Amino acid sequence: MIVKTISRLIAAAGLSLLFIQVAKAEKITVTDIAGREVTVNVPIQRAVLGEGRQLYIIAALDRENPAKRIVGWRKDLIEADPATYQAYLAKFPAFGDIPAFAGLEQSLIDIETTIAQKPDVVFLNLETQQAVDEANYVEKLGALDIPVIYVDFRHDPEHNTEPSIRLFGKLFDQEIRAEEFIKFRAAEIARVTDKLAKANPARPKVFIDRAAGFYEDCCHSFGDGNFGAMVEMAGGDNIAKDLIPGTFGQINAEQVLVSSPDHVIVTSAAWDAYVPGGKWVPVGPGADVQLAEKKLEYYPTRSAYLRIAAQKTHAFHAVWHQFYNSPYQFVAIQQMAKWFHPDLFTDLDPDEIFRKLHDRFLPINYQPGYFASLTNKM
């Protein structure tokens, strides 16, 4: 009699739990960064990431176990940011079991791998939309009830980062955490922009050497978006903003020489996977700053920089390239503000702020090494 009663209670409890789980799950319609209305079952449990570096925000939402909902992803995090990947892998070994496919930011996802994982949703970079449309991937996945959501931390991050974070927060049932992250990020950007607006200092001319060491030729840079916009927010004058239409592009060495920038910002990273032995500057988590500074010494010798203002003052700096594709851009804005206006931002410590972000939002420990500079070094 007692055993039967216990069995009934267990069965009832199981049904109740099932009812709660079913009741919690629901279909919602969201508008993604491409302006598409997409219906998704939430909270999602299985996600394929068309950009592995989307982990930068997912880890802040699923801090206790950021691997638990990722069932497939692109290899870009593993290859472009190996130190971060190894830090997560060491703490969450399940990352080593996630199926990964190759390709760069604009590449199509591996649709066979994606379908095999039976995801609740696929997150894609906004800039892949044309290729995805031409390949009819949305229709092919939709026929299997797999929705596609476009997000953007790279093409137009100054406008799309916050709504992308909110999309992840809503679909992961982590809206409160998402808003806390957005608030933290906005406050740290305001620490720079508010002070600049009040002081209104003269703006030094700046050239951004984009993905230095990834390309052998000169002079890849940013227009009025991404790092180009970050330079402006940090109180600099991006010399390529009127020369490059859109976010990414290239100008010739003569244009740099004529502009004679006061600062050269090299965006780079440890790119052994892409350019073994290249002239990239290995800044990033846990980097050897002395080694980074040593490799940075090559850049003032480039023909495009001979006799420019920055060469005379050794104002060459390296910034972790991955800031261009993550919700952590505000750290780069703060560091550039210190380089451009050192007297105005003596109280600003970007390393300490990035450490606070890790302590508050992320499951891995902070490792310095994201910046290097030749100022006062040569």
Side-chain angles (χ1 to χ4, degrees):
M1 185 69 177
I2 294 174
V3 172
K4 289 183 179 179
T5 301
I6 292 174
S7 297
R8 291 192 191 101
L9 289 172
I10 292 172
L15 288 171
S16 297
L17 180 60
L18 178 62
F19 175 78
I20 291 170
Q21 291 174 335
V22 171
K24 187 177 180 182
E26 61 175 324
K27 282 185 178 290
I28 63 169
T29 299
V30 298
T31 301
D32 72 4
I33 301 303
R36 302 162 53 252
E37 290 191 348
V38 185
T39 300
V40 185
N41 288 311
V42 294
I44 62 171
Q45 303 299 329
R46 300 176 62 80
V48 166
L49 310 184
E51 176 77 40
R53 285 167 288 187
Q54 290 165 1
L55 177 64
Y56 295 148
I57 186 58
I58 290 174
L61 302 177
D62 280 346
R63 181 176 181 175
E64 293 75 17
N65 182 6
K68 69 179 182 180
R69 302 194 225 208
I70 304 172
V71 297
W73 61 355
R74 194 182 301 280
K75 289 181 179 178
D76 58 281
L77 177 76
I78 300 169
E79 296 176 340
D81 187 9
T84 295
Y85 172 69
Q86 289 299 326
Y88 278 101
L89 180 64
K91 189 163 185 179
F92 304 99
F95 275 111
D97 300 325
I98 297 174
F101 45 89
L104 300 175
E105 288 92 346
Q106 301 94 335
S107 304
L108 289 168
I109 58 171
D110 185 309
I111 196 165
E112 288 81 10
T113 299
T114 298
I115 292 171
Q117 298 311 308
K118 300 179 180 178
D120 300 319
V121 68
V122 177
F123 290 102
L124 296 183
N125 277 352
L126 180 63
E127 59 207 303
T128 67
Q129 186 175 13
Q130 181 176 346
V132 169
D133 287 347
E134 291 173 354
N136 295 317
Y137 273 15
V138 171
E139 291 78 10
K140 291 175 182 177
L141 293 171
L144 299 172
D145 198 26
I146 301 173
V148 168
I149 296 286
Y150 286 105
V151 294
D152 177 42
F153 295 98
R154 180 178 182 270
H155 182 70
D156 188 10
E158 52 272 22
H159 296 110
N160 291 338
T161 293
E162 287 192 6
S164 293
I165 294 172
R166 288 195 172 97
L167 269 171
F168 276 107
K170 190 168 188 65
L171 295 175
F172 280 37
D173 194 25
Q174 293 285 3
E175 290 175 274
I176 293 175
R177 283 196 189 188
E179 291 302 324
E180 288 175 349
F181 190 97
I182 288 170
K183 184 178 179 180
F184 181 93
R185 177 179 177 275
E188 293 303 327
I189 292 174
R191 290 181 65 186
V192 172
T193 55
D194 288 356
K195 183 170 283 192
L196 287 169
K198 184 177 180 179
N200 193 27
R203 289 174 171 263
K205 291 184 291 184
V206 181
F207 178 69
I208 316 156
D209 194 329
R210 174 169 63 93
F214 189 94
Y215 304 105
E216 289 189 7
D217 58 337
C218 194
C219 300
H220 297 265
S221 194
F222 296 87
D224 62 358
N226 203 293
F227 262 106
M230 289 186 240
V231 163
E232 299 287 326
M233 295 170 74
D237 178 16
N238 171 25
I239 67 168
K241 66 184 177 185
D242 296 322
L243 301 173
I244 294 175
T247 301
F248 307 100
Q250 187 175 7
I251 64 177
N252 60 51
E254 289 74 18
Q255 290 173 309
V256 179
L257 286 166
V258 169
S259 298
S260 188
D262 302 294
H263 294 264
V264 173
I265 303 287
V266 168
T267 74
S268 201
W271 282 324
D272 280 304
Y274 300 132
V275 190
K279 289 184 169 61
W280 35 266
V281 181
V283 285
D288 181 336
V289 176
Q290 288 187 331
L291 174 61
E293 289 171 352
K294 185 67 177 176
K295 293 199 72 172
L296 183 58
E297 290 175 4
Y298 159 75
Y299 285 88
T301 71
R302 297 191 81 174
S303 58
Y305 305 141
L306 296 178
R307 296 179 299 280
I308 65 172
Q311 192 191 49
K312 298 172 185 176
T313 61
H314 312 303
F316 281 75
H317 320 284
V319 175
W320 187 52
H321 184 70
Q322 309 311 330
F323 282 123
Y324 92 131
N325 196 22
S326 83
Y328 314 147
Q329 306 102 328
F330 64 88
V331 181
I333 293 170
Q334 290 186 344
Q335 182 59 63
M336 288 191 290
K338 287 184 71 70
W339 285 329
F340 303 159
H341 306 284
D343 295 336
L344 192 59
F345 292 102
T346 56
D347 61 336
L348 195 60
D349 187 344
D351 262 311
E352 183 57 29
I353 296 303
F354 209 4
R355 186 185 304 278
K356 286 182 179 179
L357 181 144
H358 279 70
D359 291 345
R360 181 173 172 184
F361 294 102
L362 299 178
I364 59 172
N365 294 328
Y366 179 65
Q367 301 180 74
Y370 293 87
F371 309 103
S373 178
L374 297 185
T375 302
N376 301 322
K377 298 290 183 182
M378 296 181 69

